[in-house]
Amino acid sequence: MKICDLCFNDEEMQLTVRNESIGIGICEACGKESSIIDADVFSGFFNELLGCFVPSEEGTDVVHLIQKDWNVFVGVDK
C-alpha cells in the first residue's frame, strides 16, 4: 500500500515519507496527491508500537488508543 506524508500528524513520520519517497502520486489511504512511500517502511515501527498494547476486556480499537496517546494520524478521532 502506498501512503503519503499528509496521512500523518507526526512530523518525523512526515519527514520520513518525504525523505524516502518514491515520488509524487495518489495516496491509497487518503486519496490525495503528495509524496508517497510504501507503507512497509513503517512496519518495524508499528510492530514495536503494537507490542506496547495488550488486549483488554473493553476491546478499544488500538488505532484510537494510538491516536489518543500520540496523535499520529490525520483524520482519526481521538
Side-chain angles (χ1 to χ4, degrees):
M1 172 178 232
K2 304 295 185 254
I3 58 173
C4 75
D5 56 329
L6 302 174
C7 288
F8 299 101
N9 286 320
D10 184 86
E11 290 180 17
E12 282 187 50
M13 295 181 95
Q14 291 171 347
L15 188 58
T16 297
V17 173
R18 289 183 203 118
N19 288 338
E20 305 279 328
S21 176
I22 58 174
I24 302 296
I26 302 297
C27 176
E28 294 176 31
C30 71
K32 295 179 183 169
E33 184 175 16
S34 191
S35 298
I36 57 171
I37 193 171
D38 194 301
D40 289 343
V41 168
F42 292 113
S43 64
F45 168 76
F46 282 110
N47 283 333
E48 264 187 65
L49 182 61
L50 291 174
C52 296
F53 294 89
V54 294
S56 70
E57 295 289 324
E58 293 88 39
T60 303
D61 184 349
V62 71
V63 172
H64 288 98
L65 291 174
I66 291 170
Q67 187 68 2
K68 184 181 119 211
D69 290 345
W70 291 291
N71 194 30
V72 173
F73 307 106
V74 171
V76 176
D77 294 330
K78 293 183 183 179

